[in-house]
Every structure is written in C-alpha cells, then in structure tokens.
C-alpha cells in the first residue's frame, strides 16, 4: 500500500522559469496493484516517481510506503522499500562491475554493507537461477562486465535487480522506451511476469498505450502536474487503444502539450 | 644506466607504487580526481620524521602517518560532498592547508633523520645486502596493501564504492550513501599516499615540505601506463598494472636523466619538464593508438 497525500513540487520557485511540476497530487495504490501512469511530455510523471523514490523531496504533502512515512527519508535509505528501473538502460547498472557484482549490490539493498565478501556460492546460484528466466544466456556470463551488454540486456538485468529482493513498491519510468521493438516487448513481458508472480505494488509510466492496455488494473492520466483521469479495471476491461487515446487527448487539453507551459492550466 | 641506477629506480617505483595505488583508487575507482595527495605525501613523511625525531618508534610512525593521511583525505571528501565544493578545488584547499601544517609538524620546512632508527634497521643482519633493504621491505608492504586493496574492492562495501565512481545514481537507487563511499575511499587513498611518504622519508633519511610536488602527476602517469599496457580486465590486473606503470615510469625518468647527446645532457632540475612530457605522452597514447588502429582498418 502506497499513499500520496497532496504532494506538490515546484521547480525554480519565484523565478521566471518557475514550473509547478506536481500540483497537489493525492493517490492511493493498494497492495499488489499494477498502476499504469500516462500523460503528455512534461506532465509531471517522472517528477512524481522521483518524489516517491526520494531523488527529490516535495515542497508539501506526505508519502507513505507500507507503514512507513518516507516523505523526507533520503533516497539511499528509502531504497530498502523501493525497486526502480529508469528509462535510460545505462542508468540502472554499473558498467564497470560484472553481472554478478551488480546483482550482489541489489542483494544487499537495504542491508548493512560491511567487509565480508560480496559474493558467495549460494548467491551466485540464485543469480544464475534468476538470469535463466531471461533466456538470454546471461546465466553463463556471470563474470562479464555489464558494460559489454546491449541496452535490452542491461534493462532486463536492472529489472531483475529491482525485484531481486521483493520491493514494497516498484517504479518503472518508461523503462522500455529506449529499447528496440523486440527488446521492448521482451522486457515488457518480463515485467508483467515478475509483477504478477510476486504480486508487486507497481507504478509504471509508459507512452505506449498498447502496453498500458495489457495491464487492465488501473490507469491514471496526468496532465499539467495533476491527475486528470483515474480509470479502474472495470472501465479498462471494455477499452481498446483508440478509446484510451481519445481519453488521453481529451485530458491533455487542446493541441500539442509540448507547446504548453505546465503552469498554464487548461 | 648503471645497475645502481636501475635498483634506485626500482625502489622508487615500488614506494611510489604505493602512492599510485592510492591515486588509482580516487582517480579511477571513485572518479574523484584528488589533488590533496601532493600534500598528504609530505604529511606522511613529516609525521613519521617528527615522531622518529622525538624518539618514537619508526614502525608506529608508519601507522601514525597513515592515520594522518586518512584524516586529511576525509577532510577533502567532506569538503567536496557535504559543502558541495568541486572535488578538484577541495583537493587543492587541503593541499595548500597541508603545506602550513606539514611545516608545523616538523617545526621547519625539512627534517633530517641522520643516525636515527628507521624501519629498515629491523631487517639488518638478515643477510640482505643493505642497499636493497629498503627495496625488500617496501616490496613487502606494497604486496600486503595490494592484496588488502584487492580483497577490499570485492567486499560488499567495496562493490558499492566501485559502483559509486561508475554510476552514483544507481548506487543511491540500490540503497547506498554515495557520500560515505567517497569519504571512505578518499581517506583510504590518502592513507596509502601518506604511508608511501613515510617510507620515502625513512629511506631517504629526511622529510621535506616540497617533496610532494608533482605526486598527483606521477601517480596519474603510473595509472595510465598500467592501463595502456595491461588493461583493467579485473581489479587485480588493474592494480598490478598500476605497479608496473609506476616502476616503468621511474625507469623512464632514470633513463632520461642519464641520456647524453653530444653536449646536451639532462639535469635533475629538468625532472619536472620530463615528467610533464612523459605524462602528456602517456595521456595521448590511447588516442594515438586508436587513430593508428582506425587507419589500419581503412
Ligand atoms: N530538475 C528539474 N529542474 C527544473 N525543472 C524540471 C526538473 N525536472 C522536471 N522539470 C520540469 O517539470 C515538468 C515536469 O517534468 P517531468 O516530471 O519530467 O515530466 P514527464 O516525466 O511527465 O515528461 C516539466 O516542465 C519539466 O521541464
Ligand atoms: Mg518523464
């Protein structure tokens, strides 16, 4: 269960380039819900995720994950509760470390990192088992440096790392957008398998309405920093991509959202 | 070049190898170019010399020197992370401050250790020729630190430290405070540099406030030569490469100094010029190699 109560984030307050990126947003995500977040460019989706992960602190409002209030908890502490995959496939892994070393970092997330060896046989076996799920042959390349892998492979690894220890909240920010169509489909397939299997509470941002409709749990549409639509599973069950597209366009106001300042309310 | 010069270069390569491992840790592992080493090398020398001068144990003085270096490194890292001052500038601030501090520690700009005990005395009478004694002991210290550093970089903490230099956002997302990694890493690095300074002072028989000049450049040269020659497939390969780089760098300098071409010969005062040229060459080498390779393909 994740509770967001009236959070607001303003960039450059009081200056000419002031942007209200997230404007008094409240949202409750029940345990195990797979929520899809869509919205035009600059509508505040990434900022909302950054506020949840602790990369940014809100100006006002409150964030609760599970039974812990985390509003002002720094990102590195909050990470014990949160798994995260970024849009940039290079962002989630360390290129200079080997595959198994990256996983070792994920395996100690939220735990004390001392002077014991980071890897042991048991952990290696577990990493190998998880990697086998990808069917990419990576389970035989544990000691390859991650920098040698493709974007799709790195993103798949980032996803496995994010769920290596069951997170209370999984944040996915357009995590398939930078991948080629095949890798994108593969990572999306893996995402649904992981989320459903572990019953993870998930917040996924996507621009891909087909992906959005593959998950008919709940879809929230953001516009100019606010929640414009909140569509439940019953409504989603009846929808096709064009229906969602129509709702999306309607919620973003007139014309191209790119041309609008996010402060200009519609 | 005489045999004696070669031994001398080897010895310097080994003592400065210790320092170069420290530079590798900041420059390459943490991606934190740390200039405080120009101050922490003489700091280690000053602490060790002052302690021995006051009748302290030469062995203990090595530990004290290392601790002082670590404290100074931690100061640089805290200035940079907590006060958000650019890392290069933070290092320069510490370096400048240490210049005054080092003179305070020694009570003078330099301190001689003539007829004073050193760590090398303990090895006298083991049948090792006295002129290779420092080399032998330094090599043992270096080996211990190399193995220790290699092990450390494979611990849970060490992995987080390595990833911090690579991708700090990822490290934060994996629940580790990158400031902690930087503070510990830069402290360790400067501890090694100061230890190297202390050993230098004891084998030279003196400490001098100016002895740190160009430490960072020499360290960087060793790191780059090592990378160019052996690469960095694994942590161990990279660390051994740094040592190899350090020895080759000192040999290159010795060779350059013994070079004679008709009436032209090089003086010790030309050392800084040679150093700068060597480092520029080492830095340019990967670029040049890439271009040559590109040409070969075409
Ligand atoms: N770090 C930042 N500094 C200043 N403005 C920002 C920053 N991050 C985002 N913004 C602005 O906040 C608004 C929302 O951005 P973002 O959350 O990235 O939108 P989305 O992810 O929906 O495309 C945009 O107008 C963007 O320019
Ligand atoms: Mg975004």
């Amino acid at each position: 269960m994740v509770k967001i109560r009236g959070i607001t984030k303003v960039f450059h307050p009081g200056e000419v380039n002031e942007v209200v990126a997230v404007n008094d947003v409240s949202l409750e995500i029940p345990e195990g819900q797979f929520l899809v977040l869509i919205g035009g460019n600059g509508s505040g989706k990434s900022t909302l995720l950054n506020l949840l992960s602790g990369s940014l602190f809100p100006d006002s409002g409150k964030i609760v994950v599970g039974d812990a209030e985390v509003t002002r908890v720094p990102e590195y502490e909050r990470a014990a509760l949160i798994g995260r995959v970024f849009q940039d496939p290079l962002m989630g892994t360390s290129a200079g470390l080997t595959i198994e070393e990256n996983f070792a970092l994920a395996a100690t997330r939220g735990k004390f990192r001392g002077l014991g060896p980071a890897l042991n046989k048991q952990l290696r076996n577990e990493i190998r088992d998880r990697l086998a799920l990808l069917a990419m042959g990576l389970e035989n390349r544990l000691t390859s440096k991650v920098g040698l892998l493709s974007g799709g492979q790195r993103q798949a690894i980032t996803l496995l790392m994010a769920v290596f220890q069951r997170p209370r909240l999984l944040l996915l920010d357009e995590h398939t957008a930078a991948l080629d169509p095949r890798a994108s489909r593969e990572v999306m397939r893996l995402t649904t398998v992981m989320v459903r299997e572990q019953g993870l509470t998930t917040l996924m941002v996507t621009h891909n309405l087909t992906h959005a409709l593959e998950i008919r749990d709940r879809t929230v549409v953001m516009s100019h920093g606010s929640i414009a639509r909140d569509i439940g599973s019953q409504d989603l069950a009846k929808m096709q991509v064009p229906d969602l597209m129509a709702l999306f366009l309607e919620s973003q106001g007139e014309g191209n959202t790119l041309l609008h300042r996010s402060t200009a309310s519609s | 070049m005489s045999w004696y010069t070669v031994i001398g270069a080897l010895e310097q390569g080994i003592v400065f190898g210790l320092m170069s491992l420290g530079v590798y840790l900041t420059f390459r592992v943490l991606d934190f170019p740390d200039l405080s080493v120009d101050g922490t090398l003489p700091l280690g020398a000053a602490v060790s010399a002052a302690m021995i001068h006051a009748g302290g144990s030469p062995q203990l003085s090595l530990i004290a020197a290392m601790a002082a270096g670590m404290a100074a490194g931690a100061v640089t890292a805290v200035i940079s992370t907590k006060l958000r001052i650019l890392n290069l500038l933070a290092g320069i601030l510490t370096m400048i401050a240490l210049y005054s501090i080092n003179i305070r520690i020694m009570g003078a700009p330099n301190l001689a250790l003539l007829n004073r005990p050193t760590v090398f005395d303990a090895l006298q009478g083991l049948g090792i020729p006295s002129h290779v004694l420092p080399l032998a002991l330094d090599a043992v210290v270096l080996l211990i630190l190399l193995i220790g550093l290699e092990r450390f970089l494979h611990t849970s903490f060490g992995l987080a430290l390595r990833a911090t230099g690579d991708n700090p956002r990822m490290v934060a997302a994996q629940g580790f405070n990158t400031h902690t990694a930087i503070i510990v890493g830069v402290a360790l690095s400067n501890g090694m540099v100061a230890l190297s300074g202390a050993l230098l002072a004891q084998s030279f028989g003196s400490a001098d406030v100016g002895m740190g000049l160009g430490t960072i450049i020499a360290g960087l040269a060793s790191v780059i030569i090592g990378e160019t020659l052996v690469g960095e497939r694994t942590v161990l390969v990279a660390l051994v490469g740094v040592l190899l780089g350090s020895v080759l760098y000192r040999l290159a300098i010795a060779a350059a100094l013994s070079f004679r071409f008709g009436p032209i010969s090089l003086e010790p005062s030309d050392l800084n010029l040679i150093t700068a040229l060597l480092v520029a060459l080492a830095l340019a080498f990967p670029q040049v190699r890439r271009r040559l390779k590109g040409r070969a393909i075409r």
Side-chain angles (χ1 to χ4, degrees):
Chain A
M1 166 79 122
V2 175
K3 278 188 218 148
I4 302 168
R5 284 275 154 77
I7 59 169
T8 295
K9 179 70 191 179
V10 182
F11 290 111
H12 311 296
E15 292 171 36
V16 278
N17 52 351
E18 176 178 295
V19 180
V20 185
V22 170
N23 189 3
D24 191 23
V25 165
S26 296
L27 188 67
E28 262 190 37
I29 314 174
E31 197 65 40
Q33 186 171 74
F34 193 162
L35 190 155
V36 176
L37 184 62
I38 58 178
N41 288 318
S43 59
K45 308 177 298 294
S46 294
T47 304
L48 184 64
L49 263 61
N50 283 330
L51 291 167
L52 281 165
S53 70
S55 313
L56 293 173
F57 291 155
D59 301 320
S60 56
K62 197 172 135 177
I63 300 168
V64 177
V65 176
D67 27 46
E69 194 198 322
V70 296
T71 317
R72 306 223 139 247
V73 174
E75 179 176 19
Y76 61 86
E77 277 179 35
R78 209 184 293 193
L81 306 169
I82 292 171
R84 190 168 191 204
V85 185
F86 303 91
Q87 175 174 352
D88 181 352
L90 308 185
M91 191 62 87
T93 43
S94 167
L97 300 192
T98 62
I99 294 179
E100 60 179 13
E101 286 171 338
N102 271 278
F103 272 97
L105 268 178
T108 46
R109 191 169 66 226
K111 295 178 187 149
F112 175 72
R113 279 153 170 133
L115 297 180
L119 282 148
N120 55 45
K121 205 172 155 200
Q122 191 193 344
L123 182 57
R124 281 201 178 92
N125 285 337
E126 197 175 345
I127 296 168
R128 213 172 273 127
D129 289 347
R130 304 271 185 122
L131 280 170
L133 296 174
L134 299 180
M136 290 175 174
L138 294 177
E139 63 275 22
N140 303 319
R141 296 179 61 187
L142 251 48
T143 55
S144 292
K145 286 201 177 164
V146 163
L148 301 171
L149 307 180
S150 71
Q153 289 172 324
R154 284 181 75 163
Q155 203 64 321
I157 287 177
T158 308
L159 181 66
L160 283 184
M161 283 167 58
V163 301
F164 196 84
Q165 302 185 71
R166 191 176 189 282
R168 297 300 304 263
L169 172 64
L170 178 63
L171 298 175
L172 308 167
D173 193 353
E174 296 186 49
H175 68 307
T176 64
L179 306 178
D180 70 49
R182 211 175 62 135
S184 161
R185 195 188 55 190
E186 207 29 48
V187 169
M188 197 54 219
R189 180 192 67 84
L190 187 69
T191 305
T192 30
V193 170
M194 293 289 152
V195 170
R196 295 301 184 204
E197 236 170 39
Q198 299 193 38
L200 299 172
T201 311
T202 304
L203 182 51
M204 178 174 87
V205 174
T206 181
H207 280 311
N208 185 325
L209 298 186
T210 312
H211 284 171
L213 274 187
E214 275 165 19
I215 298 133
R216 293 173 187 263
D217 244 13
R218 181 180 178 190
T219 296
V220 167
V221 188
M222 268 189 94
S223 167
H224 304 305
S226 306
I227 291 176
R229 292 280 189 288
D230 192 340
I231 313 163
S233 58
Q234 286 184 341
D235 289 327
L236 285 168
K238 295 175 283 191
M239 282 179 139
Q240 300 298 318
V241 170
D243 306 321
L244 188 58
M245 177 63 103
L247 262 180
F248 176 85
L249 290 176
E250 194 188 303
S251 68
Q252 302 299 305
E254 299 294 303
N256 188 340
T257 52
L258 261 180
L259 303 177
H260 282 254
R261 304 274 337 199
S262 47
T263 40
S265 57
S266 49
Chain B
M1 240 186 347
S2 68
W3 174 238
Y4 196 75
T5 327
V6 173
I7 292 278
L10 205 59
E11 187 191 331
Q12 290 204 1
I14 286 172
V15 187
F16 284 111
L18 204 55
M19 170 279 281
S20 305
L21 286 181
V23 171
Y24 173 79
L25 185 58
T26 46
F27 236 92
R28 280 297 184 253
V29 178
L30 279 175
D31 196 20
F32 185 108
D34 174 30
L35 303 189
S36 18
V37 292
D38 274 32
T40 47
L41 185 105
L43 172 67
V47 167
S48 177
M51 264 183 81
I52 293 173
H53 208 81
S57 130
Q59 284 81 2
L60 274 183
S61 83
L62 292 184
I63 294 171
M66 212 168 161
M70 289 178 76
V75 168
T76 300
V78 168
I79 292 176
S80 169
T81 53
K82 303 298 180 197
L83 305 184
R84 293 169 186 273
I85 291 178
L86 180 68
N87 46 24
L88 283 168
L89 192 55
I92 291 175
L93 290 176
T94 303
M95 180 183 92
I96 293 294
L98 283 174
Y99 189 86
S100 302
I101 293 172
N102 291 340
I103 294 178
R104 279 271 172 201
I105 291 173
M106 293 187 287
N110 52 54
L111 195 59
L113 289 175
L114 289 173
N115 301 321
R116 301 275 176 175
T118 69
V119 279
F120 307 112
D121 298 343
L123 296 181
Q124 222 94 49
L126 288 183
I128 308 172
S130 66
H131 67 285
V132 292
L133 255 188
L135 191 150
L137 183 65
D138 293 345
V140 170
V141 173
L142 182 68
L143 202 67
I144 292 170
L145 273 158
L146 179 108
I147 293 168
L149 185 59
E150 203 268 345
R151 291 286 87 209
F152 170 69
L153 291 175
H154 285 101
T155 62
S156 299
F157 192 99
L159 281 194
L161 197 143
R162 282 160 64 199
T164 297
D166 225 9
N167 185 349
R169 279 205 73 185
M170 173 263 193
V171 173
Q174 293 303 337
F176 196 80
N177 187 348
T178 51
H179 287 182
T180 307
I182 291 172
I183 293 168
V184 171
V186 177
L188 275 179
S189 162
N190 282 284
M192 287 193 279
V193 175
L195 177 61
S196 153
L199 286 170
L200 270 173
Q202 294 195 27
S203 62
F204 284 179
S206 73
D208 188 294
V209 71
M211 70 194 280
L213 185 72
T215 301
I216 184 65
I217 293 297
L220 200 52
S222 310
V223 169
I224 296 164
I225 294 172
E227 270 170 7
T228 312
L229 290 182
V230 305
E232 37 188 352
R233 237 175 340 102
T234 65
V235 173
L236 184 62
V237 167
L239 294 181
V240 171
V242 172
L243 295 188
L244 196 65
S246 176
V247 171
L248 287 177
Y249 171 74
R250 295 293 155 181
L251 283 173
I253 286 192
L257 283 177
S258 64
F259 176 78
R260 266 184 189 58
F261 188 76
I264 304 171
S265 68
L266 293 167
E267 302 285 327
S269 57
D270 296 326
L271 197 73
N272 282 345
L273 175 63
I274 298 166
T275 306
L277 285 174
L278 276 175
V279 172
L281 266 179
L283 281 168
F285 189 78
Q287 281 292 331
V288 172
R289 190 171 57 172
R290 213 168 297 141
R291 286 211 197 142
L292 289 178
K293 261 191 196 159
R295 216 165 279 163
I297 291 166
R298 259 177 258 143

